[in-house]
Amino acid sequence: QVRLVESGGGSVQAGGSLRLSCEVSGYSHSSSCMAWFRQAPGKEREGVARIIPEGRSYYGDSVKGRFTISRDNAKNTVYLQMNSLKPEDSAMYVCAANFEYCGTTWDSFPYSGQGTQVTVSS
């Protein structure tokens, strides 16, 4: 059974940093497309970043230059390093996986975790 478990969320002041982790179990994620999405109350779900099996990464416009997605295949874990955080980054961050191909929308990722909350205060 595939399971994704996020951790690392919390409260931080604007300008601070957090590193989110997503540990995958039940499947080797080395050949998977992994992504981070976020959703704030009253707002649409937003794709934050994704990383393909070959290691290339893609980012949403609002986080480019501030966030970095990476993966450690030995630990079956994907990370999201978030720097220069802004209040508008506050949201529930969810990790998602697709073991067959790499889409761009939430609907193309059949596996996801419960999420970890990030709150950025001004």
Side-chain angles (χ1 to χ4, degrees):
Q1 182 177 355
V2 176
R3 189 171 180 224
L4 284 69
V5 178
E6 302 94 336
S7 61
S11 297
V12 65
Q13 289 192 328
S17 299
L18 285 173
R19 189 177 81 153
L20 307 184
S21 299
C22 173
E23 185 174 358
V24 181
S25 59
Y27 197 93
S28 173
H29 93 319
S30 62
S31 60
S32 66
C33 180
M34 301 296 298
W36 287 95
F37 291 84
R38 69 185 182 186
Q39 188 166 21
K43 295 187 178 180
E44 292 187 357
R45 186 181 290 112
E46 176 187 9
V48 176
R50 70 185 189 279
I51 185 167
I52 66 175
E54 295 77 12
R56 183 173 295 180
S57 55
Y58 303 87
Y59 299 91
D61 289 340
S62 62
V63 306
K64 282 180 181 176
R66 301 187 298 121
F67 290 12
T68 303
I69 189 171
S70 61
R71 65 198 304 160
D72 185 332
N73 291 336
K75 295 182 178 180
N76 242 17
T77 300
V78 64
Y79 303 97
L80 185 68
Q81 177 66 44
M82 306 187 296
N83 298 328
S84 302
L85 283 161
K86 305 175 181 180
E88 51 264 43
D89 293 319
S90 297
M92 179 69 74
Y93 284 71
V94 180
C95 174
N98 187 315
F99 302 113
E100 297 181 359
Y101 69 95
C102 204
T104 58
T105 63
W106 173 255
D107 291 344
S108 62
F109 289 86
Y111 302 99
S112 61
Q114 294 297 311
T116 185
Q117 180 68 39
V118 171
T119 302
V120 185
S121 58
S122 57

